[in-house]
Amino acid sequence: MAILEVQNIKKNFGKNEVLKGIGFELEKGEVLTIIGSSGSGKTTLLRCLNYLEVPDYGKIVVDGNTVFDSEEKNEYTEANIRNLRLHFGLVFQSFNLFPQYTVLDNIMLAPKLKVKEGIKNKTILPQEKNQELNRIREKALALLEMVGLSDKVDAYPFQLSGGQQQRVAIARALALEPDILCFDEPTSALDPELTVEVLRVIKDLKKTGRTMVIVTHEMEFARNVSDRIIYMRDGVVEASGTPEEIFGNSENAYLQQFLNSGKEF
Ligand SMILES: Nc1ncnc2c1ncn2[C@@H]1O[C@H](COP(=O)(O)OP(=O)(O)OP(=O)(O)O)[C@@H](O)[C@H]1O
Ligand SMILES: [Mg+2]
């Protein structure tokens, strides 16, 4: 069964129809990359998956649970949305770390809030608090090791390179154990040599079976890391398939033009 089913998602901003019925499925452990020129709606799609935008129409099912359905009445309380968001981790182009916190605290912050909420809701007993906090700390340290930053635990974001900050952001997104990790152009703010280290981390995540949705302009990377690629154009899925099918596609003129235009997008 697919871990993610996205059905006929539509989103308008005023009269601007940005998503015109996007649909795709993703199996557990698969990596899907989304390519397409600027303004085609890639970020809006990711934002819809993460409840940063509410779609006007469509359905989103994660692991068999309907997390959004425009045909049903959705209750968007803050707690509800927070819970739904837990299915997805999101890593942005700009790393968005909290500047006032150390690397370790950046990663532990959201899981700590979850424990606090758990105690409030009585799903965690007060006497379990310290044990939970220890678990969160151990997990954060393990994630930092995974992204190669064990020596930066106590550093502040301003003391890190862009590539290091982005790797912290990846660890932070993983700390909440999302089903699906989403990236929105994770390397486009980075110099080429820093890009390499971030892409390496994403490739390592693929090896461990992470399910990922990646918006990228790095075509070589998309070709190497993807199980499937979606080419978006003007709010629709213009083409989709394996990397071989997408890069070998000679039928779709728009896709050809996009691929031939290199990195200008
Ligand atoms: N909050 C918003 N309010 C109004 N219009 C928006 C908003 N967010 C996005 N748009 C519009 O939606 C369209 C798609 O934008 P989006 O950011 O999804 O494109 P994109 O494919 O991610 O582009 P890029 O490759 O440049 O990041 C654009 O026309 C944009 O102006
Ligand atoms: Mg974008």
Side-chain angles (χ1 to χ4, degrees):
M1 189 183 63
I3 192 160
L4 175 62
E5 294 167 54
V6 173
Q7 297 172 12
N8 206 10
I9 292 292
K10 297 182 185 171
K11 177 74 189 171
N12 299 340
F13 290 112
K15 288 209 169 99
N16 189 2
E17 288 178 57
V18 175
L19 302 178
K20 300 174 182 166
I22 299 286
F24 61 86
E25 284 193 5
L26 193 59
E27 299 295 322
K28 198 169 159 62
E30 266 190 344
V31 177
L32 172 80
T33 53
I34 302 175
I35 60 173
S37 50
S38 186
S40 56
K42 305 180 298 295
T43 295
T44 305
L45 176 61
L46 282 192
R47 288 175 62 85
C48 283
L49 294 181
N50 286 273
Y51 291 91
L52 296 169
E53 302 287 354
V54 180
D56 297 319
Y57 191 81
K59 191 168 166 181
I60 301 170
V61 182
V62 179
D63 215 2
N65 303 310
T66 300
V67 298
F68 176 80
D69 186 351
S70 58
E71 303 284 90
E72 307 227 323
K73 198 168 171 290
N74 295 277
E75 267 200 56
Y76 289 116
T77 61
E78 239 180 73
N80 231 341
I81 291 182
R82 250 202 321 274
N83 265 331
L84 292 171
R85 272 198 190 132
L86 290 175
H87 291 294
F88 296 92
L90 184 56
V91 177
F92 298 94
Q93 170 179 351
S94 52
F95 331 116
N96 296 339
L97 298 179
F98 304 112
Q100 70 274 36
Y101 294 120
T102 64
V103 163
L104 187 64
D105 285 340
N106 260 280
I107 296 173
M108 288 174 58
L109 195 70
K112 271 182 172 170
L113 287 175
K114 214 173 132 192
V115 168
K116 211 168 152 185
E117 208 168 82
I119 290 172
K120 210 171 102 192
N121 302 335
K122 302 195 167 43
T123 51
I124 297 172
L125 299 172
Q127 60 267 34
E128 289 170 339
K129 185 178 166 190
N130 283 341
Q131 193 189 332
E132 280 298 305
L133 291 179
N134 276 336
R135 192 183 63 80
I136 286 168
R137 190 186 158 80
E138 291 304 315
K139 167 113 193 163
L141 291 171
L143 286 169
L144 279 171
E145 192 179 342
M146 189 196 71
V147 298
L149 290 174
S150 291
D151 56 335
K152 301 290 182 190
V153 169
D154 296 320
Y156 284 86
F158 78 90
Q159 296 168 312
L160 304 180
S161 73
Q164 289 169 337
Q165 289 187 52
Q166 190 59 305
R167 286 186 280 150
V168 174
I170 294 172
R172 184 177 61 175
L174 288 170
L176 285 173
E177 298 167 2
D179 297 310
I180 299 151
L181 191 56
C182 302
F183 295 86
D184 191 3
E185 299 188 32
T187 60
S188 59
L190 299 175
D191 293 338
E193 68 272 24
L194 301 181
T195 294
V196 173
E197 64 189 40
V198 171
L199 296 185
R200 191 180 310 127
V201 167
I202 299 176
K203 281 187 188 159
D204 286 347
L205 287 173
K206 179 184 163 79
K207 282 187 210 143
T208 63
R210 276 270 154 204
T211 312
M212 294 186 274
V213 177
I214 308 171
V215 171
T216 185
H217 285 169
E218 300 273 346
M219 290 303 130
E220 234 356 80
F221 172 66
R223 189 199 281 258
N224 290 330
V225 82
S226 313
D227 295 296
R228 261 168 345 105
I229 300 178
I230 282 180
Y231 166 57
M232 273 179 71
R233 184 180 162 272
D234 202 12
V236 299
V237 175
E238 180 78 33
S240 73
T242 62
E244 294 73 28
E245 286 164 348
I246 290 290
F247 286 95
N249 186 310
S250 55
E251 264 128 59
N252 191 306
Y254 292 117
L255 175 57
Q256 290 249 300
Q257 194 184 8
F258 173 75
L259 292 174
N260 289 336
S261 59
K263 293 194 169 186
E264 276 150 20
F265 286 96

